[in-house]
Amino acid sequence: MKINGILPSLLKDTTIVTSPTIWRTSSKLAIHDLLWLLAYKWLLLPLLSYNTNRLLITVFNYFQDMEHKNCKLIFVHHLFCILFLSHLVFCKLNYNFYYKTCPNVTNIVRYGVWSAIANDTGMAASLLRLHFLDCFVNGCDASILLDDIGSTFVGEKNAIPTQNSARGYEVIDNIKANAEKACPSTVSCSDILTIAAREAVYLSGGPYWLLHFGRRDGRTANKTAANELPSPLESLDSIIAKFNSKGLDIKDVVVLSVAHTIGFAQCFTFKPRLFNFGGSGKPDPELDASFLKGLQSMCPDKVDSDTKLVPLDSVTTTRFDNNYYKNLVNSRGLLQSDHVLSTDNRTASMVINYSMYTYLFLKDFGASMVKMANLVF
């Protein structure tokens, strides 16, 4: 069994269905089991990744020699179905999805994002956050854009993490309208939101990464799941667990947190660090003294300051760079969930490396964004 390039040569040769061993075994199987073989070769196999194909081929080769153990071969055929057919939506995503049907979609989205940022520099962070909020609830399906409809439909916009904080909905709506004019009934809102997040980062000085397209828009929402989104008030263990549940690892936690290098946070999200850290009645002793003093003046210990906005990175507020990590190293991280990344043994070394090596941070951020954008359930 040969592997050539990204896709195995099984796309061309017929080793699986013409092997004498397989034919002898297949003759003893029910017709539907032989059809599973053909479906695997012609339908499922071309859609799977290189690594997945190698795994399947290894398993299949092992069972090719077990011609007298039909039940195990049948088991393998059905196992292919159970394990992989549920992921066909993900596998159908590809770089050239709109190559013929809407070749200018990226330019349409880029112009819409550029116009929005030109009007409001904080919109870059908002669009990036909107993409995150969407993907972490039932995958990247644009369900975050759905409005409540009386008591018959409950969306995610009014969930605790999004209510009165998430914004940029109208930007996506405008881009969608322009996409419809150019390519009617073609580009999904979920793809538009995914591209918009990348363009927002890129136009803010951050990296550019390649994207797969072909996401379908969700018709349902999950406010309950939206209420369980990672919060800056949670422990690192809790945040890591929530990332793990989406197929993202601890490195992704550190990398994707750099989204806080642009945008703003409301005072209530970090005020306990300024006046009553851990119920001690005192500020967080690990906060840089001058940084602490400045924050206390911007966010006094009064209820009416809770919703006041403070830059997440006061040095390069609108530029997507690794100054976020430099702030953490210097004990000038705004959110407790960010600060702990520089003190926890599992993440501290990554924070130091990203603070020193810009290229490493840019490369890894793009890779983690691709992983998140491919959360399609």
Side-chain angles (χ1 to χ4, degrees):
M1 201 70 68
K2 302 184 292 294
I3 299 287
N4 293 322
I6 294 178
L7 290 176
S9 59
L10 285 173
L11 298 182
K12 296 182 180 179
D13 71 49
T14 54
T15 306
I16 281 185
V17 294
T18 59
S19 165
T21 301
I22 291 296
W23 273 120
R24 287 198 298 273
T25 304
S26 297
S27 65
K28 302 174 186 178
L29 299 176
I31 295 299
H32 72 273
D33 290 304
L34 181 57
L35 292 177
W36 282 126
L37 279 171
L38 296 173
Y40 166 69
K41 174 180 169 58
W42 298 114
L43 299 178
L44 181 58
L45 187 63
L47 296 174
L48 297 176
S49 69
Y50 171 78
N51 289 332
T52 305
N53 274 318
R54 292 194 66 179
L55 172 62
L56 292 179
I57 291 167
T58 300
V59 174
F60 213 102
N61 285 341
Y62 175 75
F63 282 98
Q64 275 188 352
D65 297 327
M66 302 180 67
E67 53 186 302
H68 299 300
K69 299 184 179 182
N70 296 348
C71 61
K72 290 188 177 182
L73 187 58
I74 293 172
F75 168 76
V76 173
H77 297 163
H78 290 296
L79 184 62
F80 288 153
C81 252
I82 295 171
L83 292 180
F84 299 107
L85 286 181
S86 62
H87 296 286
L88 287 181
V89 174
F90 165 78
C91 297
K92 287 180 181 178
L93 299 181
N94 66 77
Y95 297 115
N96 298 316
F97 191 85
Y98 297 116
Y99 178 73
K100 293 183 178 179
T101 57
C102 196
N104 291 322
V105 62
T106 296
N107 290 331
I108 293 171
V109 177
R110 179 175 299 155
Y111 178 75
V113 173
W114 176 83
S115 298
I117 295 176
N119 185 57
D120 176 3
T121 55
M123 189 54 67
S126 296
L127 292 174
L128 177 57
R129 181 168 183 256
L130 204 60
H131 179 47
F132 172 84
L133 295 172
D134 179 47
C135 292
F136 258 69
V137 179
N138 296 342
C140 308
D141 63 353
S143 59
I144 186 68
L145 304 177
L146 299 176
D147 294 315
D148 291 356
I149 303 177
S151 59
T152 61
F153 183 86
V154 179
E156 298 161 13
K157 290 183 177 181
N158 290 314
I160 295 172
T162 55
Q163 189 176 37
N164 300 321
S165 65
R167 64 191 197 117
Y169 302 113
E170 72 286 351
V171 175
I172 302 302
D173 288 343
N174 291 337
I175 294 173
K176 173 62 173 175
N178 289 330
E180 284 297 308
K181 292 177 182 177
C183 319
S185 304
T186 301
V187 184
S188 66
C189 290
S190 46
D191 277 341
I192 288 175
L193 184 52
T194 301
I195 301 171
R198 180 189 64 185
E199 298 304 316
V201 170
Y202 181 66
L203 292 172
S204 299
Y208 185 93
W209 56 92
L210 295 178
L211 290 169
H212 294 84
F213 303 118
R215 295 165 190 78
R216 298 296 86 189
D217 292 334
R219 295 176 178 272
T220 61
N222 191 336
K223 185 177 180 180
T224 301
N227 281 326
E228 296 300 321
L229 284 161
S231 163
L233 303 177
E234 287 184 273
S235 67
L236 180 58
D237 285 337
S238 177
I239 293 174
I240 291 173
K242 290 183 177 183
F243 271 67
N244 288 166
S245 71
K246 304 299 180 182
L248 302 173
D249 56 32
I250 193 169
K251 180 180 179 181
D252 296 313
V253 173
V254 178
V255 173
L256 293 176
S257 292
V258 79
H260 295 161
T261 193
I262 54 176
F264 298 81
Q266 297 184 62
C267 288
F268 82 89
T269 61
F270 59 87
K271 192 182 288 187
R273 300 188 70 198
L274 310 183
F275 303 101
N276 188 27
F277 183 67
S280 65
K282 299 179 180 179
D284 183 350
E286 295 183 354
L287 264 176
D288 175 80
S290 62
F291 185 56
L292 170 63
K293 185 177 181 180
L295 291 176
Q296 288 177 330
S297 66
M298 289 187 285
C299 298
D301 194 14
K302 299 177 180 179
V303 175
D304 60 5
S305 71
D306 283 355
T307 57
K308 185 177 180 180
L309 296 176
V310 175
L312 285 161
D313 175 4
S314 59
V315 180
T316 56
T317 305
T318 60
R319 183 167 182 80
F320 198 95
D321 55 22
N322 67 337
N323 201 67
Y324 163 82
Y325 296 112
K326 294 177 182 178
N327 287 337
L328 297 187
V329 171
N330 293 319
S331 299
R332 298 174 68 88
L334 188 65
L335 305 176
Q336 175 62 19
S337 59
D338 288 336
H339 171 71
V340 72
L341 296 177
S342 66
T343 60
D344 191 284
N345 292 332
R346 295 168 293 178
T347 56
S349 61
M350 285 186 277
V351 170
I352 293 173
N353 286 335
Y354 291 137
S355 71
M356 295 189 298
Y357 305 111
T358 300
Y359 171 76
L360 181 63
F361 133 72
L362 294 174
K363 176 180 70 68
D364 287 352
F365 181 77
S368 289
M369 285 296 290
V370 169
K371 287 178 66 175
M372 187 177 75
N374 287 343
L375 295 178
V376 180
F377 305 120

